[in-house]
Amino acid sequence: RSRFAKAGMVTMAAGYADRMDGMAAEQISLKSLLSQCVDLAERAGALIRAVSDNKSECGIGTHDKGLGTGNFDPQTLADRQAQRCIVENLRAIYGGSLRIVGEEGEL
């Protein structure tokens, strides 16, 4: 169990957890964070289904995020919309102190 997740609390800071010594930190409820993440995953899933349901009309909007690297790394409109939904809502709730790493990179 992480030293930063004691008693159902998560410590947030504007840096990596291993560099938190001396940094101002804020604790939030792990239960609250988990609840928000579940809600946002359901919203993101609805966005993905909407794109999938309409793919015959507008396609799936594939973009190669590995362009220029020699590695084909497809990313769909649904991927981008789902991650944007999750990240923007978490930022609105918790501000910039919550570090978020998403599969789709920075959007």
Side-chain angles (χ1 to χ4, degrees):
R1 186 168 160 163
S2 168
R3 65 185 169 133
F4 300 109
K6 294 179 181 148
M9 301 299 285
V10 175
T11 301
M12 299 187 314
Y16 296 99
D18 60 343
R19 291 192 263 162
M20 288 183 58
D21 294 331
M23 295 177 68
E26 173 187 351
Q27 289 194 340
I28 61 169
S29 161
L30 184 56
K31 183 177 179 181
S32 175
L33 177 61
L34 182 58
S35 176
Q36 291 292 338
C37 288
V38 169
D39 178 59
L40 292 171
E42 289 172 352
R43 289 189 211 178
L47 291 170
I48 292 168
R49 284 188 296 280
V51 169
S52 180
D53 291 346
N54 294 317
K55 67 183 174 193
S56 61
E57 296 173 20
C58 62
I60 59 172
T62 303
H63 166 77
D64 181 8
K65 64 181 180 179
L67 194 62
T69 66
N71 297 319
F72 179 62
D73 191 0
Q75 177 188 71
T76 67
L77 174 64
D79 294 330
R80 292 188 299 275
Q81 286 182 354
Q83 182 165 314
R84 190 171 291 116
C85 170
I86 293 167
V87 171
E88 287 179 358
N89 280 284
L90 286 174
R91 291 264 184 255
I93 297 165
Y94 298 105
S97 60
L98 184 65
R99 184 168 181 259
I100 302 169
V101 178
E103 179 185 4
E104 306 310 328
E106 296 295 321
L107 297 176

